[in-house]
Amino acid sequence: MSKMFKIALPDGSIREVPEGATPADVAAAIGPGLAKAALAARVDGELRDLNRPFEGDASLALVTSRDEKEALELARHDFAHVLAEAVQELFPGTQITFGPATEDGFYYDFAPAPGRGPFTDEDLPAIEEAMRKVIARDEPLVREEWNRDEVRAFFERQGESFKAEWVMELPEGEAITMYRSGGPDGWMDLCRGPHLASTGKLDPQAFKLTRVSGAYWRGDQKNPMLSRIYGTAWLNKKQLDAHLVRLEEAAKRDHRRIGQDMDLFHLQAEAMGSVFWHPKGFLVWRQLEAYMRRRLDAAGYREIKTPQLIDSQLWVASGHWGKFRENMFVVPDEVPSTEGDMPVLSGKADLLALKPMNCPAHVQVFKQGITSYRELPLRLAEFGCCHRNEPHGALHGIMRVRQFTQDDAHIFCTHEQLVDETKAFCALLDQVYRDLGFADYKVKLATRPDQRVGTDAEWDRAEADLEAALKQTGLEYETLPGEGAFYGPKLEFHLQDAIGRTWQCGTLQLDPQMPQRLEAHYIGEDGAKHHPLMLHRAILGTFERFIGILIEHHAGKFPLWLAPVQAVVTTIVSDADDYATSVAEKLVAAGLRVETDLRNEKINYKVREHSLAKVPLLLVVGKREAEEGTVALRRLGSDEHQKVMSVDEAIALFAAEAVPPDLKT
């Protein structure tokens, strides 16, 4: 008699199934509708294939398209699998490497066959058609367990040198999962899974290949260059179409294009990953920085400034040298000799590093003089310029750069003060986001990663402390297991922009480790030395990235207080030049940022040009306006006809509108 397993369902009922039964069998026993809708299964909390047999008594939850997050990840994983199969059918000799699901789709890296150049965007339509044929064949996706030597031998026979190399890094003796599609002699890939039951579970109209780029094998530029094919994938065509509309809108809002149209900044190869801010762009920066400084002053922060170059020994002591060294710019502490025109370094000098973050320097400020518990909490803020050695391929406009300025601060406090400091920070962040037009954001609690410092007991306490403080704020949150910093758990704040995209900007990180590593103390009420808690916190994240987000969120149409040029006074006829100049002078005297346009051009041309530059207010004056002491107002993006008003009325209106939100009464 075969064994019987007890399977507990979410409704509390128990079903008995024979050994060898699968979640698909349970779904079929419940009803044909569920059998058709089921995509995968959670068995004792682990996401698994529907057709993987139970191994004993277990809890079971069936995953359907209603579980959108899990269903999307499964589908995207399968689309990547189908992409690899289709490419190898179309282009024999192509080697496969890896292809994960991404936030909105998938990608797969390929090594083109010898003699064939890299894949290009022109290849994508044919590959899409081949993918649809694979989906139409409704090939079963079957999980098999192999040992490491079997996998290596298989890929070597197939001429798959990349897979054969990688599999040998897996632990010897560990079972390795392979997925076969299309029957006993079907196409195979090394994959952890899980997958849908068959390729036919995918909607052939719910994906689109988007682009091709280069990618180094295993992310190392010393390795061969591969072709990475990207795609976007969804559960159905309606979702895909909505996403493509969002992409089209995002392209219109691209901060790089708008930044050029508005003359805000530029980037160039001689300063890879660093921004050249133009006068108008830096005006936006200055307004944002001044706003943040006022908010921080009101919240009890003390602003400091710390060095750019710091001896490597401090980074060793803080733990960053071991965890973050590859992303740091290192500078030998010596004056180089010269031979010809080239500097020569000895290779024996002590090393300095451009700071990639501000926290160890802030601890040094805290340590200057013994601090009493009565002086805590101490909130040290810095608009700190930092450098990180990001790979060239990862750089993206002003969103991902090598030189950046953080709205950084560190709060030194006792355990007893943690709840109040967390609540105060969350209230400050909420106010800033609302002021800047981001009322919708989500909070996430990120817990201990695999690579970390500190004992399990210290992590237990840190996670419990931060979660307890978060609960006191009353904010809803979700947990991100394994996503914390290497020194402690953190809160992440993900804001949503005008077209529904999310951006992780704000953070509050609880760090009990660094004060210990860098020997920071305060004198407690008991007269003994204690290590403070250290809270790393930021609201904007970095000025560069946040300004990029603001540009795309507002499509360049900044609120009046942030706009680099708030108004342009332009003429219809040259007879009004003197009047236009006098109007502009009055507006400037009222504190507004104003330009004049006295060119001998048609007014429609001027209107189009200043609209492209996203100037909020266009004041048109001609002979009649000069005689009557009025201006004709055109607002950017307004469908209303121009409104005529007196100069005094315009000044009062615009001056009130241009007040930053924190200064409004």
Side-chain angles (χ1 to χ4, degrees), residues 83-334:
L83 168 62
E85 182 175 355
V87 166
Q88 288 200 310
E89 282 186 11
L90 272 180
F91 305 101
T94 301
Q95 290 192 58
I96 56 175
T97 60
F98 294 104
T102 64
E103 186 177 350
D104 62 5
F106 59 94
Y107 69 78
Y108 212 107
D109 290 346
F110 300 95
R116 190 196 191 283
F119 290 108
T120 68
D121 290 350
E122 285 69 36
D123 295 315
L124 299 184
I127 297 173
E128 284 186 354
E129 187 57 34
M131 289 176 66
R132 291 190 176 94
K133 289 179 180 177
V134 174
I135 293 170
R137 293 200 296 260
D138 196 16
E139 297 174 349
L141 297 169
V142 180
R143 179 180 183 273
E144 300 179 8
E145 290 191 3
W146 294 25
N147 65 47
R148 191 176 70 173
D149 290 337
E150 289 174 332
V151 176
R152 180 186 61 177
F154 170 79
F155 282 123
E156 286 177 342
R157 289 195 304 272
Q158 299 292 318
E160 298 278 6
S161 60
F162 294 95
K163 289 279 193 183
E165 171 193 326
W166 186 82
V167 76
M168 295 309 292
E169 297 190 12
L170 297 178
E172 186 175 3
E174 180 180 285
I176 297 171
T177 54
M178 299 278 281
Y179 277 82
R180 186 189 302 274
S181 58
D185 299 319
W187 185 83
M188 296 203 73
D189 194 6
L190 169 68
C191 185
R192 182 177 298 167
H195 281 282
L196 302 176
S198 70
T199 62
K201 291 283 188 180
L202 299 171
D203 184 338
Q205 303 303 319
F207 79 97
K208 181 177 179 58
L209 300 183
T210 54
R211 62 189 174 95
V212 181
S213 73
Y216 291 108
W217 167 236
R218 306 182 78 169
D220 189 336
Q221 60 185 1
K222 298 175 183 176
N223 289 337
M225 175 68 78
L226 307 174
S227 287
R228 176 170 293 179
I229 299 179
Y230 287 91
T232 184
W234 302 85
L235 298 179
N236 53 58
K237 188 175 185 300
K238 182 179 178 181
Q239 289 182 345
L240 173 65
D241 289 343
H243 176 69
L244 295 178
V245 169
R246 286 195 298 272
L247 287 181
E248 183 179 354
E249 181 61 29
K252 295 177 185 176
R253 294 169 177 261
D254 190 308
H255 73 279
R256 294 165 296 183
R257 180 182 62 79
I258 293 175
Q260 183 176 6
D261 291 341
M262 296 180 67
D263 191 25
L264 301 180
F265 59 83
H266 83 273
L267 302 115
Q268 63 186 63
E270 289 81 359
M272 184 69 70
S274 298
V275 184
F276 291 81
W277 289 99
H278 297 191
K280 291 178 182 177
F282 201 56
L283 269 170
V284 177
W285 179 302
R286 287 171 54 200
Q287 290 299 311
L288 188 60
E289 183 178 19
Y291 163 80
M292 288 301 301
R293 182 170 281 116
R294 291 192 300 269
R295 284 292 186 201
L296 293 177
D297 287 347
Y301 287 81
R302 302 180 187 180
E303 188 174 351
I304 60 175
K305 195 72 175 173
T306 58
Q308 288 292 106
L309 274 172
I310 299 177
D311 191 286
S312 63
Q313 291 307 307
L314 181 61
W315 302 109
V316 171
S318 70
H320 291 97
W321 195 259
K323 302 289 184 183
F324 209 75
R325 165 67 187 82
E326 64 185 17
N327 294 112
M328 298 171 75
F329 287 102
V330 176
V331 181
D333 189 8
E334 65 177 323

